[in-house]
Amino acid sequence: MRGMSPIVQVVTRLMAGMLLLYGGYIIVHGHLTPGGGFAGGVLVAAALILVSLAFGSVEQVERKEYLLSSVFESLGGLFFVSLALAGYFAVEIFFRNTGVFFLGKPLELVSGGLIPLANIAIGVKVGAGLFAVFLALGASRFVMKE
Amino acid sequence: MIPFIACVLLLLIGLYVVIAKRNLIKIAIGFCLIEYAVNLFFALVGFKKGALAPIITQPEQVRMSVTRNFVDPIPQALVLTAIVIGLSTTALMLSLALRLYERYKTFDISEIRKLKG
Amino acid sequence: MFVAVPLAGAFLIPLLAKLWSRLSDIVANIVAATLVGLSFYGWLYIRTGGMPLCYWVGGWRLIGIAMWFDALTALIVLIINIVGFCATLYSVRYLDRYSSGRWKFYTLLTLLLAGLNGLAISGDLFNMFVFIEISAIASYALVAFGTEEEEVEAAFKYMVLGEVGGTVLLFGIALLYAKASTLNLAHLSQVLSGMGRTPFYWFVIATLLIGFAIKMGMEPFHAWLADAHFSAPAPISAMLSGVFIKVTGVYGMCRLMFNVFGISRAATPAFFNLLIAFGAVSMVLGGLLAFSQNDYKRLLAYSSISQIGYILVGLGVGNFWGIAGALFHILAHALSKGTLFLAAGSVESQTGTRELDHLKGLERTMPLTSWAHILGSFSMAGVPPFAGFFSKLFIIIGAITGRMYWLAFLAALFSAVTFAYLTKVVNRAIFARKDEAVTQAKEAPALMVLGMVILVILILAVGIGFWGVQTQLVAPAAKVLLNGLDYARLVLGG
């Protein structure tokens, strides 16, 4: 996949780190501000896609990326399910919000028990998932006439 | 009232596109329109005039339960979920369309007719 | 539990399959078997007089999401998991046709199972929608699995139609929420019984009905069924036809209409007559179209349309025998159609063709498959003592009790038609005269046959022990539907 012009590459180099950070911020603060797992995950995926588009990539690197993102996606999903199950085994109820997890004061970062962890799990899953979708659709298998 | 009518209009336009257009990608887009129209409708359902966004920003609010003047948060959560569902649906539809293009070399639906009956 | 197990399985598979591709088979089968065990456990719990289980997620009562397990759920869950397990067994060998991506198949299949199970036990309106969509998306991807042209085209058509149906459903749910401000099914039914029968009420019912109709292949939205079943890999067709259509379409509709809206024959005869009308049309159309088909799987697909018609007619009749018959037929059809589709798949994978004209004399070369097919057909057509006979009998009894003699006659007539077109397959493909050339084929591999045989044994068991099945399994489920409004009382009180 071809990369893009040098201007785009320079700008991407500046922006990509910030985008990832911002996406992470939205994910982790999901219980305090609007956003949460889904929206933050989309941002993370967007950052990754941006890098991928701007710099282009070679076939082998793409395969490795695809594999990695697939693994991350599954891990995210498993993390989510295990969170739910942890609630189950601890207090006998799915998704229970007390007991096992940190419950700080409201409005602080470490509060709300289960929810930030669930957000992180979802963020990982959505981010990796969307990036994998992008790779599968656009990058390696189906090549439009360059 | 107006936003609701706009939603229905959007839905009808989307429906028209799905039924009447011949290009695969256009059909997928038309379907997206339908999806968004319904999501929009659902989000509008929870609206109250002059109410705040349902996020607690000051600790005092938790105790004073000023929650009475919040916009209904349930439709928002549901619409979020529905949007994500729509996203995965769109992704799947587009990947299918791509695969069809690879095989038939065309996006035109009237040429993709290997199945009869 | 029902949801967590397949979900966990679905996410484990991609990970583990990177190590060793056969591992995915094992994980999937373990998951499916566990689900079967859980279903039986749940059913037994209900049967011994336990209260229907009610389970609030996160411990938030009344504003949270409820999971609910009563007699009807037990029936549906059993069907889902048994057919699912047989399909998973069958897939182990069937997937040898596809060179790659085994783990993708199993991931999707376990996702499908997760979605269907979640649907069966959810007690919350939006939760139902989410699970319907999950299973729907999994099924679209599964139908397209082979990525041949036909399969992808069928999957695309199916997908657009199915998703439009799902979106219409969402629209109905939005309307409902706008009026009722609650999503919990039990609470919803209470709120609804307090409201009058305004035109808005009917509009919401109509919208929801259209959404479900699309998903279950009721007229006039049956178009996608034929292509989708025809092109999907065989275990998927079995799951699709026998389980998915019924659970998402019929069960979803029943839960909503009977338990939430509290529709009964006395109050709203129009709704039931509508069901009967559409059901009869499905029955007739499906049967006639099936008769003229030359392709094995397409014939079975049209037959499914016809059988859904039966179920709708049974539901539409509205009294105990009708509903019990309809539910029994869901069970019988799931088992029978599952067997038939799996048999069709075996034939196809061994001989490489599905055209009936090209197949002859399979009885000699693939005896087990042929007999599975024959027995499945008998059950489908309503020959005693198989399961299908009793289900159709109940529906007919229901029709007669409801004094709709023409309906009973129609049902009996189309049983004969079903028998006719299924025998056509038997005649052409399985038996052959002494001097005709026999198609070359070997018997299907062991695991495929095992999946089929389990289903056949179940058909026989359900048929012979039908009275036991009726009283233990189906009647309580039917009662749940009939005493629609009790649902709310049970959930909120218990």
Side-chain angles (χ1 to χ4, degrees):
Chain A
M1 187 173 56
R2 255 191 357 217
M4 298 177 119
S5 69
I7 297 185
V8 176
Q9 292 189 354
V10 166
V11 172
T12 308
R13 227 174 289 189
L14 290 174
M15 291 293 298
M18 276 202 292
L19 270 179
L20 269 178
L21 190 62
Y22 189 54
Y25 167 79
I26 292 199
I27 293 179
V28 171
H29 277 74
H31 56 291
L32 297 172
T33 61
F38 294 129
V42 169
L43 261 181
V44 167
L48 291 174
I49 294 179
L50 180 61
V51 168
S52 190
L53 269 180
F55 290 101
S57 50
V58 196
E59 179 92 8
Q60 299 97 323
V61 176
E62 273 171 17
R63 281 198 201 285
K64 203 169 54 153
E65 284 176 2
Y66 188 56
L67 193 67
L68 262 182
S69 56
S70 177
V71 169
F72 265 112
E73 181 184 359
S74 308
L75 277 178
L78 271 177
F79 186 38
F80 189 74
V81 174
S82 57
L83 277 178
L85 281 177
Y88 181 70
F89 286 124
V91 208
E92 275 270 344
I93 302 181
F94 251 19
F95 280 129
R96 186 74 181 166
N97 212 357
T98 57
V100 190
F101 303 102
F102 315 101
L103 257 200
K105 300 197 286 289
L107 295 178
E108 305 227 331
L109 190 51
V110 183
S111 67
L114 180 57
I115 297 183
L117 295 174
N119 269 326
I120 294 180
I122 293 185
V124 166
K125 185 161 180 35
V126 170
L130 278 182
F131 187 49
V133 165
F134 167 73
L135 283 179
L137 276 184
S140 45
R141 312 254 163 92
F142 179 71
V143 180
M144 308 217 55
K145 297 202 238 332
E146 297 274 308
Chain B
M1 217 28 206
I2 305 279
F4 291 110
I5 298 191
C7 278
V8 175
L9 206 58
L10 207 55
L11 203 145
L12 289 175
I13 294 179
L15 205 58
Y16 163 72
V17 170
V18 168
I19 296 179
K21 290 292 180 185
R22 286 178 11 174
N23 190 329
L24 268 183
I25 304 285
K26 287 189 187 164
I27 294 182
I29 293 184
F31 171 72
C32 278
L33 274 181
I34 299 181
E35 188 100 32
Y36 290 161
V38 173
N39 286 333
L40 193 59
F41 178 77
F42 208 165
L44 283 175
V45 160
F47 184 66
K48 267 189 278 199
K49 258 202 165 67
L52 308 166
I55 296 177
I56 302 178
T57 45
Q58 309 293 336
E60 305 84 57
Q61 285 178 341
V62 177
R63 256 160 270 137
M64 283 192 337
S65 60
V66 189
T67 53
R68 209 149 306 173
N69 208 18
F70 278 168
V71 168
D72 192 355
I74 290 191
Q76 298 189 353
L78 303 183
V79 169
L80 189 60
T81 316
I83 289 180
V84 173
I85 293 179
L87 163 75
S88 46
T89 302
T90 312
L92 193 57
M93 245 198 259
L94 285 180
S95 61
L96 283 181
L98 272 182
R99 195 54 90 172
L100 274 180
Y101 182 76
E102 269 181 16
R103 299 286 177 162
Y104 286 98
K105 296 292 181 257
T106 173
F107 274 128
D108 197 327
I109 201 179
S110 52
E111 314 223 348
I112 305 177
R113 268 212 176 283
K114 260 197 117 194
L115 290 175
K116 298 187 291 288
Chain C
M1 263 303 140
F2 276 102
V3 179
V5 170
L7 263 183
F11 294 131
L12 265 179
I13 290 180
L15 261 186
L16 295 178
K18 304 285 198 258
L19 306 170
W20 178 34
S21 94
R22 283 293 178 173
L23 191 58
S24 53
D25 301 310
I26 300 179
V27 173
N29 279 306
I30 293 179
V31 165
T34 320
L35 283 174
V36 173
L38 277 175
S39 325
F40 271 113
Y41 174 69
W43 171 53
L44 287 172
Y45 186 85
I46 298 286
R47 203 182 71 145
T48 57
M51 269 289 292
L53 300 168
C54 179
Y55 186 82
W56 301 87
V57 175
W60 296 97
R61 305 214 84 223
L62 197 63
I63 43 178
I65 301 179
M67 304 235 146
W68 172 249
F69 195 95
D70 62 8
L72 179 60
T73 316
L75 178 63
I76 299 284
V77 156
L78 269 176
I79 295 178
I80 296 175
N81 291 324
I82 290 180
V83 177
F85 178 59
C86 291
T88 319
L89 263 187
Y90 184 87
S91 311
V92 174
R93 278 320 202 120
Y94 186 80
L95 289 181
D96 288 338
R97 311 168 66 202
Y98 301 112
S99 46
S100 74
R102 276 183 100 106
W103 57 272
K104 291 186 205 149
F105 182 81
Y106 283 116
T107 311
L108 289 169
L109 190 55
T110 36
L111 266 179
L112 181 63
L113 283 178
L116 287 174
N117 277 315
L119 171 60
I121 61 179
S122 83
D124 178 273
L125 190 60
F126 193 72
N127 220 12
M128 275 176 64
F129 173 71
V130 169
F131 281 120
I132 290 180
E133 289 295 300
I134 291 180
S135 9
I137 293 183
S139 70
Y140 304 143
L142 281 173
V143 166
F145 190 69
T147 70
E148 299 295 317
E149 294 103 25
E150 317 174 319
E151 304 188 11
V152 178
E153 174 198 344
F156 191 81
K157 279 198 251 178
Y158 170 39
M159 187 165 189
V160 170
L161 261 176
E163 276 303 301
V164 168
T167 314
V168 170
L169 258 183
L170 184 61
F171 189 57
I173 292 180
L175 284 175
L176 202 53
Y177 181 75
K179 263 299 170 189
S181 300
T182 176
L183 289 171
N184 186 297
L185 283 180
H187 200 207
L188 199 57
S189 74
Q190 288 191 326
V191 171
L192 277 172
S193 50
M195 282 196 293
R197 304 275 196 245
T198 63
F200 182 77
Y201 184 77
W202 293 120
F203 182 67
V204 171
I205 290 188
T207 314
L208 288 172
L209 190 60
I210 294 182
F212 280 122
I214 295 182
K215 285 225 171 281
M216 78 173 133
M218 189 168 96
E219 304 300 322
F221 303 113
H222 71 292
W224 59 269
L225 257 182
D227 290 336
H229 285 168
F230 165 74
S231 326
I236 303 304
S237 298
M239 280 291 294
L240 203 61
S241 169
V243 179
F244 175 76
I245 300 179
K246 313 282 175 18
V247 176
T248 47
V250 179
Y251 169 74
M253 184 184 76
C254 285
R255 242 327 160 208
L256 271 186
M257 295 304 160
F258 287 101
N259 287 127
V260 173
F261 282 97
I263 295 189
S264 66
R265 194 110 240 275
T268 48
F271 179 74
F272 285 91
N273 290 331
L274 206 65
L275 277 185
I276 292 183
F278 280 124
V281 170
S282 293
M283 208 159 66
V284 171
L285 253 176
L288 290 177
L289 281 172
F291 203 76
S292 60
Q293 288 303 316
N294 208 16
D295 180 293
Y296 202 170
K297 278 173 99 174
R298 202 180 271 278
L299 186 131
L300 292 177
Y302 278 114
S303 162
S304 287
I305 299 181
S306 180
Q307 302 303 316
I308 298 275
Y310 266 102
I311 295 179
L312 286 175
V313 162
L315 283 175
V317 168
N319 53 26
F320 175 73
W321 286 109
I323 295 187
L327 289 175
F328 205 112
H329 198 57
I330 292 183
L331 175 64
H333 182 241
L335 292 175
S336 320
K337 229 359 130 44
T339 316
L340 286 175
F341 266 114
L342 291 185
S346 308
V347 168
E348 182 191 359
S349 75
Q350 295 300 115
T351 64
T353 175
R354 289 198 292 240
E355 298 285 328
L356 283 177
D357 290 331
H358 296 169
L359 299 169
K360 290 225 181 305
L362 284 171
E363 188 209 6
R364 279 176 244 150
T365 48
M366 300 178 69
L368 278 172
T369 310
S370 312
W371 278 105
H373 176 90
I374 292 178
L375 292 177
S377 312
F378 280 168
S379 173
M380 206 70 245
V383 175
F386 295 102
F389 171 67
F390 295 109
S391 58
K392 299 205 173 163
L393 188 64
F394 290 154
I395 296 182
I396 293 181
I397 292 181
I400 294 181
T401 328
R403 284 192 294 275
M404 287 182 252
Y405 300 110
W406 62 274
L407 202 57
F409 176 70
L410 203 61
L413 182 65
F414 270 86
S415 274
V417 172
T418 314
F419 190 66
Y421 62 72
L422 285 173
T423 327
K424 176 174 123 155
V425 175
V426 173
N427 256 343
R428 287 223 204 138
I430 299 189
F431 295 118
R433 287 191 287 269
K434 268 288 188 356
D435 44 341
E436 285 184 276
V438 166
T439 324
Q440 291 307 313
K442 279 184 331 158
E443 181 53 78
L447 272 176
M448 283 163 73
V449 174
L450 186 60
M452 275 190 295
V453 165
I454 293 181
L455 282 180
V456 170
I457 293 179
L458 279 173
I459 294 179
L460 279 172
V462 168
I464 295 179
F466 83 99
W467 189 248
V469 173
Q470 159 73 354
T471 50
Q472 303 291 351
L473 197 54
V474 176
K479 284 218 178 56
V480 165
L481 281 182
L482 276 175
N483 307 330
L485 295 174
D486 276 352
Y487 178 76
R489 191 173 50 82
L490 283 172
V491 172
L492 292 178

